[in-house]
């Protein structure tokens, strides 16, 4: 069976789609950010954590996430052309070289706009999210922070638009404990409220109440 979307009779429903996840990513960015974009975050489309962390971070400066095949030795022609059109001044890479290759980094630096290229590559997905949040939110003193599991994409994906609307970071955590570095970072920003995304099966109460690792 299918899914019936109930809308007003005069509502317009559009589908934004490409031939694959990378083409769809570019189509979404082109629809939501017509024209040039000062800041773009590039994340691999082969896995989810880096893109999820990057979404909330780059939205805080009005930027967009573009997915790439991070295992390629260079930037594909379609993405190179697209980034040439949006003409970013800064490109942020989410993840280490195992996620987005050094060859893609070189391709980004050689774009026509010669953007500044910065990489946030931690030892794992949790540290990568932390590094991005430190760079984009530490000086913004956000009122809210979100914590989501780094073992699955659904909760962080669902919470992403809310975090972006509130100008808040999304941190990734294991199910049992929050990393000491993440705890120190959140505590140092003196946020008013912290939200855990998901039930206790994915984020134990210990994550919110002091179990550190």
């Amino acid at each position: 069976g299918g899914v019936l979307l109930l809308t007003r009779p005069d509502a317009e429903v559009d589908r934004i789609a490409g031939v694959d996840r990378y083409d769809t990513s570019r189509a979404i960015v082109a629809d939501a950010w017509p024209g040039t974009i000062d800041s773009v975050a590039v994340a691999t489309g082969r896995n989810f954590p880096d893109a999820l962390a990057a979404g909330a971070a780059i939205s805080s400066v009005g930027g967009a996430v573009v997915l790439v095949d991070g295992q390629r030795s260079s930037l594909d022609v379609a993405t190179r052309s697209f980034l040439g059109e949006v003409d970013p001044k800064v490109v942020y890479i989410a993840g280490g070289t195992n996620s987005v290759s050094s060859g893609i980094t070189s391709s980004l630096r050689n774009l026509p706009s010669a953007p500044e290229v910065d990489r946030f590559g931690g030892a794992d997905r949790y540290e990568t999210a932390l590094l991005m949040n430190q760079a984009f939110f530490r000086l913004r003193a956000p009122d809210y922070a979100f914590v989501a599991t780094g073992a699955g994409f659904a909760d962080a994906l669902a919470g992403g638009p809310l975090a972006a609307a509130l100008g808040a970071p999304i941190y990734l955590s294991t199910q049992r404990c929050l990393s000491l570095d993440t705890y120190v970072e959140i505590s140092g920003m003196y946020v008013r409220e912290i939200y855990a995304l998901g039930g206790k099966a994915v984020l134990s109460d210990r994550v919110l109440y002091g179990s550190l690792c």
Side-chain angles (χ1 to χ4, degrees):
V3 177
L4 176 63
L5 298 179
L6 299 179
T7 64
R8 289 173 41 185
D10 60 343
E12 183 177 332
V13 179
D14 293 325
R15 181 190 297 275
I16 302 174
V19 296
D20 56 23
R21 65 190 65 184
Y22 309 107
D23 193 26
T24 298
S25 164
R26 295 189 295 269
I28 290 171
V29 173
D31 182 76
W33 287 268
T36 60
I37 310 172
D38 285 344
S39 301
V40 170
V42 168
T44 182
R46 288 178 172 258
N47 209 339
F48 62 87
D50 296 336
L52 293 176
I58 198 68
S59 71
S60 70
V61 293
V65 175
V66 175
L67 297 182
V68 299
D69 182 349
Q71 298 301 305
R72 290 177 60 96
S73 60
S74 62
L75 201 62
D76 63 278
V77 173
T79 303
R80 187 195 304 270
S81 175
F82 178 72
L83 291 177
E85 294 172 3
V86 300
D87 198 31
K89 295 181 175 64
V90 185
V91 177
Y92 301 99
I93 300 174
T97 53
N98 287 335
S99 296
V100 178
S101 72
S102 57
I104 290 178
T105 303
S106 298
S107 296
L108 291 169
R109 291 198 171 107
N110 290 324
L111 287 171
S113 60
E116 176 185 346
V117 178
D118 292 328
R119 181 188 292 273
F120 298 96
D124 53 29
R125 62 191 61 186
Y126 308 102
E127 186 178 4
T128 293
L130 175 61
L131 291 174
M132 295 202 74
N133 289 334
Q134 286 175 334
F136 285 89
F137 292 102
R138 179 174 282 181
L139 299 180
R140 294 177 178 271
D143 290 329
Y144 308 96
F146 292 81
V147 180
T149 177
F153 69 88
D155 296 331
L157 182 64
L162 178 58
L166 295 175
I170 295 180
Y171 295 90
L172 301 181
S173 176
T174 65
Q175 190 271 341
R176 296 189 303 166
C177 56
L178 190 68
S179 76
L180 175 60
D181 289 340
T182 298
Y183 170 79
V184 169
E185 183 67 19
I186 296 175
S187 299
M189 290 193 299
Y190 299 101
V191 298
R192 288 169 44 196
E193 297 179 24
I194 302 172
Y195 292 95
L197 299 172
K200 296 179 183 180
V202 292
L203 283 180
S204 165
D205 280 345
R206 292 177 294 179
V207 171
L208 296 181
Y209 299 114
S211 184
L212 303 178
C213 51

